[in-house]
Amino acid sequence: MTHSHDGHADVPKRYDKAFGLGIALNFGFVLIEAFYGWKIDSLALLADAGHNLSDVGGLILAWAALAATRLQPNDRHTFGWRRGSILASFINAFVLLIAMGSLGWEAFQRLQAPVAIAGVTVMLVAGIGILVNTITAWLFISGSRNDLNLRGAFLHMSADALVSVGVLLAGALYQWKGWNWIDPVISLVIAVIIVVTTWSLFRKSLHLLFDGVPDQVNLPSIRQYLLSQPGIIDIHDLHVWAMSTTEVALTAHLVMASLPDSDQLLRDVAEELREHFEITHCTLQLERDLGCSSGCNGL
């Protein structure tokens, strides 16, 4: 039997600074938005300040999950706390979908009874929101390509930037045309766009929570590769799952007509799985063919 892994595949530590800066910027914006909402007696701004405060919580959650992936395994948690990053990405996606549902419902209600808005003040606050959320989203854009946890943070901030753009546009059109209905209409459009873009994150993170095979892993190709190795005549108990949003594990029993005298085959297979199939941690066991498939109930 052999084990192979290439460490914790740590997300670069520079994201610690990104989370710290993003949390500080967004909390500062919450204070600004709450102040102006109180000053002009705008329930919309006060409600959005509450929404942005939940976004700060989402960033803190994602940062905590990032820190959890660095905790060393122990006798109680033999894989460490790496799965925390998957859980955080799922929670962020779920919260974002709920928030957009609430935004859509509020917009629908306002369509029934449009209200006047303080156009200039709303535009000013929205402009600050665009700047803050765009900067924060930019901090995570590179990591979002390969890490669902960072993708959750990126989508959260991108969604807020898009909402702020909509608020700015609504304020401008209200000042120009006096359209009370423009604010809820733009809000509905934005909510639909964000739900569509967030659904993939929600689906993928839920899939990984239930030990689904990560999308980037082609299991039939792995099975074909293993069966192509000299001496391997069958495979059973082949399992692939995500240990975190950046690490994939594999276990398999390889059946051979006769067992080799060295571990070279295992080392070669483990290296190939890591280099070409993105398997960061694998456990392989060789078994001699006894002409019996008893207990081979895996894949």
Side-chain angles (χ1 to χ4, degrees), residues 48 51-52 55 96-108 111 122 126 130 133 155-171 173 181-199:
D48 196 49
H51 164 67
N52 285 308
D55 290 340
L96 191 53
L97 290 174
I98 294 298
M100 289 305 102
S102 299
L103 176 64
W105 177 252
E106 176 65 20
F108 179 77
L111 271 176
V122 167
I130 292 171
N133 291 312
L155 284 179
H156 233 123
M157 295 302 102
S158 298
D160 282 350
L162 188 58
V163 169
S164 294
V165 169
V167 171
L168 180 64
L169 181 60
L173 288 174
W181 52 265
I182 193 66
D183 181 47
V185 167
I186 290 179
S187 297
L188 278 172
V189 172
I190 290 173
V192 170
I193 292 173
I194 294 173
V195 166
V196 171
T197 57
T198 304
W199 184 254

Side-chain angles (χ1 to χ4, degrees), residues 88-134:
S89 62
F90 171 77
I91 293 175
N92 266 325
F94 181 77
V95 169
L96 191 53
L97 290 174
I98 294 298
M100 289 305 102
S102 299
L103 176 64
W105 177 252
E106 176 65 20
F108 179 77
Q109 294 291 97
R110 291 197 178 193
L111 271 176
Q112 312 303 310
V115 296
I117 59 175
V120 175
T121 301
V122 167
M123 290 170 63
L124 173 64
V125 175
I128 298 173
I130 292 171
L131 181 63
V132 168
N133 291 312
T134 300

Side-chain angles (χ1 to χ4, degrees), residues 169-251:
L169 181 60
L173 288 174
Y174 176 77
Q175 287 294 108
W176 180 35
K177 294 290 187 179
W179 294 339
N180 287 347
W181 52 265
I182 193 66
D183 181 47
V185 167
I186 290 179
S187 297
L188 278 172
V189 172
I190 290 173
V192 170
I193 292 173
I194 294 173
V195 166
V196 171
T197 57
T198 304
W199 184 254
S200 175
L201 174 66
F202 177 77
R203 179 187 63 80
K204 289 180 180 179
S205 57
L206 181 63
H207 177 70
L208 296 184
L209 276 177
F210 285 92
D211 291 329
V213 177
D215 288 350
Q216 74 273 18
V217 176
N218 189 323
L219 193 59
S221 294
I222 291 177
R223 186 182 294 109
Q224 182 178 7
Y225 163 73
L226 293 174
L227 286 172
S228 71
Q229 298 309 296
I232 297 178
I233 59 176
D234 195 13
I235 304 168
H236 66 88
D237 293 310
L238 172 60
H239 302 288
V240 176
W241 72 98
M243 298 169 63
S244 72
T245 51
T246 58
E247 298 171 280
V248 180
L250 174 149
T251 61

Side-chain angles (χ1 to χ4, degrees), residues 15 18-20 22-23 26 54-66 85 88-94 96 132-145 147-161 198 201 245:
Y15 287 109
F19 275 112
I23 290 170
N26 281 270
S54 72
D55 290 340
V56 173
L59 285 175
I60 293 174
L61 175 64
W63 194 8
L66 176 63
S85 59
S89 62
F90 171 77
I91 293 175
N92 266 325
F94 181 77
L96 191 53
V132 168
N133 291 312
T134 300
I135 291 174
T136 308
W138 176 80
L139 293 173
F140 302 107
I141 190 169
S142 60
S144 68
R145 299 186 183 98
D147 187 331
L148 279 184
N149 185 35
L150 294 179
R151 182 169 177 76
F154 170 73
L155 284 179
H156 233 123
M157 295 302 102
S158 298
D160 282 350
T198 304
L201 174 66
T245 51

